[in-house]
């Protein structure tokens, strides 16, 4: 059967819809409180790119996220105030953004909670989970390529 983009039986559109919905559902079960630094939606998005591309400049982060440079700057200010990123002057006028130890610790708490949540649903078939994660990582790399 030929692929018909946007049709009711389009598997790519269904995958995108499911990814978005599952992401929202996992986020709704994300722990809150003293152990987790609360981030806005934009801060979460920017933080993910900082984790993927440590040392990127704010302009590069904007390109990877496809967000306005002013929105990235505001998110970086918020992340810096929360101790999640550090900005270091690099060559000339450029600034390199890096995740902090606090960001790594925060991500560790979140990943442990997410893992527990999904383990209750997916059980022990980790080979299938790894294949799915590899597929999603490939999609993420393509979508954050910044071109």
């Amino acid at each position: 059967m030929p692929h018909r983009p946007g049709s009711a039986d389009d598997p790519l559109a269904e995958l995108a819809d499911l990814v978005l919905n599952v992401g929202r559902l996992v986020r709704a079960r994300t722990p809150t409180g003293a152990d987790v630094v609360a981030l806005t939606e934009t801060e979460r998005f920017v933080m993910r790119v900082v984790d993927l591309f440590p040392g990127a400049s704010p302009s590069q982060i904007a390109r990877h996220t496809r967000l306005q440079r002013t929105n990235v700057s505001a998110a970086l200010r918020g992340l810096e105030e929360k101790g999640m990123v550090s900005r270091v002057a690099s060559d000339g006028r450029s600034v390199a953004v890096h995740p902090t130890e606090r960001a790594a610790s925060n991500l560790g708490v979140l990943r442990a909670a997410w893992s527990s949540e999904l383990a209750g649903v997916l059980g022990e078939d980790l080979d299938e989970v790894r294949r799915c994660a590899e597929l999603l990582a490939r999609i993420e790399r393509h979508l954050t390529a910044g071109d």
Side-chain angles (χ1 to χ4, degrees):
M1 177 189 298
H3 177 237
R4 296 183 345 231
S7 66
D9 62 345
D10 180 355
L12 298 175
E14 181 65 13
L15 175 64
D17 190 35
L18 287 166
V19 166
L20 291 168
N21 196 45
V22 169
R24 282 189 287 270
L25 292 168
V26 169
R27 185 168 299 123
R29 289 169 171 79
T30 295
T32 58
D35 291 344
V36 177
V37 178
L39 302 178
T40 68
E41 183 72 26
T42 303
E43 287 171 343
R44 277 192 294 270
F45 193 25
V46 168
M47 193 69 235
R48 176 66 180 172
V49 169
V50 170
D51 284 332
L52 288 172
F53 303 99
S57 70
S59 295
Q60 290 169 324
I61 294 167
R63 193 167 46 255
H64 288 302
T65 59
R66 291 178 169 74
L67 292 172
Q68 294 288 328
R69 177 71 167 79
T70 55
N71 293 340
V72 169
S73 293
L76 287 173
R77 276 192 304 278
L79 289 167
E80 198 168 30
E81 288 169 7
K82 294 172 182 177
M84 302 294 283
V85 298
S86 65
R87 294 193 252 192
V88 179
S90 58
D91 54 21
R93 297 180 358 190
S94 186
V95 172
V97 181
H98 294 275
T100 63
E101 286 299 319
R102 184 171 194 197
S105 174
N106 194 63
L107 185 57
V109 170
L110 294 173
R111 289 176 63 91
W114 297 333
S115 180
S116 293
E117 186 71 35
L118 294 182
V121 175
L122 299 174
E124 297 297 319
D125 189 1
L126 296 183
D127 288 337
E128 187 175 15
V129 170
R130 285 184 186 95
R131 283 192 304 277
C132 182
E134 288 168 5
L135 171 66
L136 292 172
R138 191 171 88 215
I139 293 168
E140 181 183 46
R141 281 190 304 274
H142 173 77
L143 294 176
T144 59
D147 41 342

